């Protein structure tokens, strides 16, 4: 097997882990669910590293990787909400962040044909999601509702920030270039 297929195989594996995680979580097998969640996160890191290091990105990978990430993260927040670990608004805010990011990137692409790529702030948002899911799932009884709500609020605030940064810089460049073109 060639290394060039490995990132897509890992993303596919991560996608297959989503229903496994859901079933384990909803049947109160929390530690195995968290292990699957962490393994899925590891495949995300590994497939990104391999794709960049060996220069083996693909069109399929550009769709499959973020799809697997978003489904896993949204599923985790929905499971946490379903089991009353997090307030109802947490999965809604996550979904709104992803929708706003996608629409912003689509708007920029339609206007400039520039593809907005993930950046440090987006990667940090993913790390925060994984950390929040891990801590809330395993330690919510120890940190209590105040701790859980504090985590949710901080993550939600970061979502708003990262969404703005994700498209904001490119949107400003686009507006500046469009206003510069009008002056010419």
């Amino acid at each position: 097997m060639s290394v060039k297929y490995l990132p897509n195989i890992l993303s596919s594996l991560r996608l297959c882990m989503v229903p496994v995680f859901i079933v384990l979580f909803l049947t109160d097998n929390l530690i195995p669910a968290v292990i699957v969640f962490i393994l899925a996160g590891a495949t995300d890191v590994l497939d990104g590293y391999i794709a960049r290091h060996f220069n083996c990105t693909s069109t399929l990978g550009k769709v499959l990787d973020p799809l697997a990430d978003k489904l896993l993260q949204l599923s985790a927040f929905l499971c946490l909400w379903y089991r009353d670990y997090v307030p109802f608004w947490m999965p809604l805010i996550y979904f709104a962040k992803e929708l706003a990011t996608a629409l912003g990137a689509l708007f920029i692409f339609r206007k400039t044909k520039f593809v907005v790529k993930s950046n440090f702030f987006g990667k940090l948002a993913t790390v925060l999601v994984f950390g929040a899911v891990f801590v809330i799932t395993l330690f919510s009884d120890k940190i209590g509702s105040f701790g859980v709500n504090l985590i949710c609020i901080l993550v939600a605030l970061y979502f708003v920030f990262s969404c703005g940064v994700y498209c904001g810089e490119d949107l400003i460049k686009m507006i500046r270039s469009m206003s510069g073109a009008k002056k010419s």
Side-chain angles (χ1 to χ4, degrees):
M1 173 179 71
S2 173
V3 72
K4 73 178 185 176
Y5 299 111
L6 199 50
N8 290 346
I9 291 169
L10 290 169
S11 291
S12 298
L13 179 63
R14 186 166 59 262
L15 198 54
C16 292
M17 290 178 167
V18 172
V20 174
F21 166 79
I22 292 169
V23 168
L24 288 171
F25 195 96
L26 295 180
T27 57
D28 288 326
N29 293 298
L30 297 182
I31 295 198
V34 168
I35 290 169
V36 168
F37 191 74
I38 290 169
L39 288 173
T43 67
D44 183 27
V45 172
L46 189 57
D47 82 53
Y49 172 79
I50 293 169
R52 284 185 300 279
H53 185 73
F54 293 101
N55 196 25
C56 50
T57 59
S58 68
T59 303
L60 176 61
K62 290 176 185 175
V63 173
L64 197 57
D65 177 58
L67 176 65
D69 293 344
K70 304 320 175 206
L71 284 176
L72 179 67
Q73 293 171 27
L74 181 60
S75 296
F77 279 128
L78 288 171
C79 285
L80 287 169
W81 166 73
Y82 182 78
R83 288 290 185 184
D84 290 325
Y85 284 91
V86 299
F88 76 95
W89 52 263
M90 194 65 207
L92 292 176
I93 287 180
Y94 175 80
F95 181 76
K97 171 197 116 42
E98 293 302 331
L99 183 61
T101 301
L103 290 174
L106 179 64
F107 174 78
I108 290 169
F109 178 77
R110 291 192 72 209
K111 294 290 184 183
T112 65
K113 302 302 182 222
F114 175 74
V115 176
V116 179
K117 297 191 183 340
S118 65
N119 59 27
F120 169 79
F121 297 104
K123 292 180 190 321
L124 183 56
T126 298
V127 169
L128 288 175
V129 168
F130 275 85
V133 169
F134 177 83
V135 169
I136 291 169
T137 301
L138 296 182
F139 303 108
S140 64
D141 57 335
K142 304 244 185 307
I143 62 174
S145 62
F146 176 80
V148 169
N149 286 328
L150 181 62
I151 290 170
C152 289
I153 289 167
L154 291 174
V155 170
L157 287 172
Y158 187 79
F159 283 169
V160 172
F161 169 77
S162 68
C163 185
V165 169
Y166 179 72
C167 290
E169 184 180 353
D170 294 317
L171 187 58
I172 290 168
K173 287 178 188 174
M174 181 189 77
I175 291 168
R176 285 182 179 159
S177 71
M178 290 174 66
S179 66
K182 287 180 184 177
K183 290 179 184 176
S184 302

